[in-house]
Amino acid sequence: MEKQGLRITAATLAPFFLFISVLTFGLWFSVFRGGAVSNVITSTMSDSRVQSGFGVEFADSLLNSADATTRTAMEVHKPELQSALAKKLGTKESQDKVAALATQVFDALMNGSATTTLDIRPVLTDAIDAINTVPGIPQVTPDLIGDVEPKVLGSESDPLPDLGAVKSAVTALGIASILLGLLFTFFIWRESKTRFRGVGIPLVSVGAFWMLVTFPAPGIISAGSEMGLQRDIIKAASTAVLSGPRTLAMIFFVVGIALLGTHFYRSRQPKVESEIGRAHV
């Protein structure tokens, strides 16, 4: 009777903790794990629509700040300039520079730093390199950005928000939920007479649910944003952020399908052998 109660408890809690772990452990892996946010930024910057959008934005910004002669040349060659800037942003070198800046901000938010100072000149240098590849536009020298001051985010009177507690909560909940989910799953496996089905069903159910959520989610999340670069960034970034939960859901689903397939195969074996035996009699 006591074992029956434990089996019921395990059958209830295993799907519950597995369900939570897909989101919490998945988000920890794709965002809060050390260095993971750099992968999110790199993945976002690898999106061709994001690159094209930034190319347009950079080109407009350069047009507004250029001198009259350079501005006229940029207007004439604006499509080529936009393409060159987008192409430069698509290189690993430029993506790594942008990711380093984003990681610096992320670390400051997670560590409770009041301020952080960003040196954007390496990114501007890449923009200058892109401009200089466009024929017809006067060559721009790096001296143009020599006076650009590093950008300071936050201040002592208005510090950056401290999001370290969020990271700690997601990390703790993620690790605890995946361990408890696997522990109760193991108990089902050990105690159940139909272990393949007993473990396979919750894995397939949890995996299928989160797959149905995480695959369309980026499009749904970005749908509320304005058309253009903002929407493209949100869609690409949310795709990268949800890659952890999506991958874990797929693993659960595939393993669950394999276990259910094994259960079906093994349950059919005695019937097949019995029919073969009768045929020989």
Side-chain angles (χ1 to χ4, degrees):
M1 197 69 175
E2 184 180 343
K3 276 199 170 184
Q4 179 67 14
L6 289 174
R7 281 196 291 267
I8 294 173
T9 301
T12 303
L13 292 180
F16 173 76
F17 284 115
L18 291 174
F19 181 88
I20 294 175
S21 72
V22 171
L23 185 61
T24 54
F25 186 79
L27 286 178
W28 169 81
F29 187 84
S30 59
V31 179
F32 296 105
R33 176 177 54 93
V37 71
S38 177
N39 297 331
V40 172
I41 300 303
T42 301
S43 178
T44 302
M45 295 300 298
S46 297
D47 188 284
S48 59
R49 291 167 299 184
V50 173
Q51 293 168 14
S52 298
F54 270 118
V56 172
E57 293 288 333
F58 271 139
D60 290 343
S61 178
L62 290 168
L63 279 167
N64 293 331
S65 60
D67 59 69
T69 303
T70 303
R71 186 184 303 115
T72 301
M74 286 182 175
E75 286 283 6
V76 173
H77 300 282
K78 190 173 181 180
E80 295 95 323
L81 176 61
Q82 292 172 345
S83 178
L85 289 167
K87 184 177 180 181
K88 188 65 177 179
L89 287 170
T91 63
K92 186 178 185 306
E93 180 185 9
S94 292
Q95 290 174 4
D96 286 345
K97 291 176 182 178
V98 175
L101 292 174
T103 301
Q104 183 180 337
V105 175
F106 181 81
D107 288 344
L109 295 173
M110 294 301 112
N111 297 329
S113 301
T115 65
T116 188
T117 303
L118 302 178
D119 185 2
I120 62 174
R121 285 174 294 184
V123 177
L124 295 178
T125 299
D126 285 350
I128 290 175
D129 291 342
I131 296 170
N132 291 336
T133 64
V134 181
I137 296 180
Q139 293 287 295
V140 180
T141 64
D143 297 340
L144 183 68
I145 61 172
D147 295 332
V148 175
E149 295 290 334
K151 186 173 180 60
V152 179
L153 301 181
S155 64
E156 293 301 327
S157 59
D158 185 20
L160 295 171
D162 184 0
L163 301 181
V166 176
K167 177 182 178 180
S168 299
V170 172
T171 301
L173 189 56
I175 294 175
S177 61
I178 191 72
L179 290 177
L180 288 170
L182 293 175
L183 177 64
F184 284 115
T185 299
F186 174 74
F187 184 84
I188 295 173
W189 177 267
R190 194 186 68 176
E191 297 296 330
S192 177
K193 294 179 181 178
T194 54
R195 56 177 58 176
F196 291 98
R197 185 181 66 181
V199 174
I201 289 176
L203 286 176
V204 168
S205 301
V206 170
F209 175 85
W210 282 113
M211 285 168 62
L212 290 172
V213 170
T214 55
F215 275 102
I220 296 171
I221 293 171
S222 61
S225 305
E226 296 180 3
M227 292 292 291
L229 179 59
Q230 183 183 22
R231 175 175 290 191
D232 293 334
I233 290 175
I234 292 174
K235 187 173 184 178
S238 57
T239 298
V241 167
L242 291 173
S243 62
R246 185 169 55 249
T247 300
L248 189 54
M250 291 171 65
I251 292 172
F252 284 174
F253 184 79
V254 170
V255 172
I257 288 293
L259 291 173
L260 289 178
T262 303
H263 169 78
F264 177 77
Y265 174 77
R266 288 165 67 95
S267 65
R268 292 285 297 170
Q269 281 301 100
K271 296 179 182 178
V272 173
E273 292 173 359
S274 176
E275 290 173 2
I276 293 174
R278 286 198 210 98
H280 286 178
V281 172

